[in-house]
Amino acid sequence: MCPMKRELSILIPVFNGVCTEMVAELGRQAEAIGNLSYEIIVADDGSTDAATVGANQALNQQSHCLYIKRGVNSGRAVIRNFLAQQAHYEWLLFLDCDMTIGRSNFLQTYLESAAEEVVYGGYSVGEGAADNLRFVYEKAAEPSHTAEERQKHPYRDFHTANFMIRRDLMLAHPFDERFRHYGYEDVLLGKQLHKHGISIAHIDNPVGFCSFEDNPHFVSKTEEGLRTLYEFRAELRGYNGLLTLVDGIHISLVRSAIRLWHRLLGPVERRLLCGSRPNLTVFKIYKLGYFLSLTKNKLQL
């Protein structure tokens, strides 16, 4: 009896990054799997760096691979919906371009999980420097990245960096394209999947997270994410720890005190975070103060 034919579209959004090594490894693994129909589609979301665009254009020479250059940056939600629409096969595997494939059975592990509706493989933190805030932050959070821990809150601990989903489900429940800036489009997708009774299976099949932006860029990205969180706070309530924390501060005087602290000491905290000795406690305080500084009403968000 012949084994059942399997189909997989590997989808990689890219912006000012080169993903040729990742694509080459995925191609090697796919070719080694018998009876697999596959494609690798890389969609460039309006990259401005000519060198990375030139490097990625070589992907069109690789078998089963298509590189699509889009002229305008449309955001993380739109580009992923676009990739889903371009795909031809039953299963979609979304990967972020700045991750690495560290396991030789990475694709096979996903294919063996295809009985599920949505599968999230997680990520592992690579080596980094002690003076890099992003590395220190990710390393401290690493114990919560295990499949066992993620499965405790399957919809809240869901991210776009490394997940597989049936194409029909993705098209029926696309990313919310109001999310034009950094952050939380994956959290809202997790909420929507929960709302419609679509299960998420968390497995141990991580990609490697080894590229850490410098401290000023990470702090700026964090601030952008907090502004996104504030904009969509009504939809994300119950699916984000910071929102839960802020909701628990019922005394207006306490909120006012935190805002005042941030107004007076926030610039100092930011300089520390952007410097060579970042501190996670300062980072948490800064995020809380920054978020509350966005709020207009003293009692309600």
Side-chain angles (χ1 to χ4, degrees), residues 56-67:
N56 285 329
Q57 283 176 338
L59 294 169
N60 281 322
Q61 306 304 315
Q62 181 170 323
S63 177
H64 299 273
C65 187
L66 173 64
Y67 171 73

Side-chain angles (χ1 to χ4, degrees), residues 18-279:
V18 178
C19 60
T20 52
E21 290 187 14
M22 169 190 273
V23 171
E25 174 59 24
L26 292 167
R28 283 191 290 269
Q29 292 194 22
E31 289 296 322
I33 297 172
N35 215 36
L36 174 67
S37 294
Y38 77 96
E39 62 184 353
I40 304 174
I41 305 177
V42 178
D44 188 305
D45 193 23
S47 287
T48 56
D49 184 79
T52 60
V53 172
N56 285 329
Q57 283 176 338
L59 294 169
N60 281 322
Q61 306 304 315
Q62 181 170 323
S63 177
H64 299 273
C65 187
L66 173 64
Y67 171 73
I68 303 172
K69 176 71 171 72
R70 287 163 60 89
V72 179
N73 181 263
S74 56
R76 293 161 59 89
V78 171
I79 194 65
R80 285 167 174 80
N81 289 342
F82 171 78
L83 279 162
Q85 293 158 5
Q86 297 299 307
H88 296 90
Y89 293 132
E90 178 185 8
W91 285 98
L92 311 181
L93 174 58
F94 283 91
L95 297 169
D96 281 359
C97 71
D98 56 353
M99 299 297 183
T100 60
I101 309 300
R103 296 187 177 186
S104 60
N105 64 340
F106 176 76
L107 288 186
Q108 182 64 48
T109 299
Y110 262 124
L111 292 171
E112 290 172 355
S113 302
E116 307 290 344
E117 294 178 305
V118 183
V119 187
Y120 173 49
Y123 65 93
S124 59
V125 182
E127 295 183 1
D131 62 355
N132 183 275
L133 177 60
R134 182 66 183 270
F135 168 72
V136 173
Y137 172 78
E138 295 291 350
K139 201 65 180 177
E142 193 169 34
S144 66
H145 295 163
T146 66
E148 182 180 7
E149 286 298 313
R150 287 185 271 115
Q151 196 63 59
K152 294 177 181 179
H153 305 282
Y155 298 97
R156 195 174 67 187
D157 290 336
F158 170 73
H159 304 284
T160 58
N162 174 28
F163 78 100
M164 187 174 73
I165 184 171
R166 285 208 327 260
R167 183 173 184 269
D168 62 319
L169 290 178
M170 190 73 255
L171 295 179
H173 306 283
F175 288 98
D176 189 325
E177 296 190 357
R178 294 175 300 159
F179 283 72
R180 306 290 293 186
H181 302 288
Y182 176 77
Y184 299 101
E185 78 287 338
D186 48 1
V187 179
L188 187 57
L189 177 61
K191 177 181 178 180
Q192 293 304 312
L193 295 175
H194 191 188
K195 177 181 177 181
H196 290 90
I198 299 168
S199 63
I200 300 177
H202 288 258
I203 66 172
D204 179 27
N205 195 33
V207 289
F209 185 15
C210 306
S211 178
F212 308 103
E213 62 265 71
D214 62 35
N215 293 349
H217 281 94
F218 180 54
V219 173
S220 295
K221 181 187 287 187
T222 299
E223 292 168 343
E224 182 180 1
L226 290 170
R227 293 192 296 270
T228 300
L229 179 63
Y230 179 71
E231 181 180 358
F232 296 99
R233 60 197 180 281
E235 291 97 327
L236 295 170
R237 184 164 278 112
Y239 287 79
N240 176 264
L242 181 58
L243 280 180
T244 301
L245 172 62
V246 171
D247 282 344
I249 305 174
H250 299 295
I251 302 174
S252 61
L253 184 61
V254 174
R255 292 192 178 198
S256 297
I258 295 172
R259 290 192 190 94
L260 177 62
W261 173 283
H262 185 77
R263 186 165 65 249
L264 296 176
L265 296 178
V268 177
E269 294 169 349
R270 197 182 197 281
R271 285 197 295 274
L272 288 172
L273 294 172
C274 292
S276 60
R277 301 180 65 181
N279 181 281

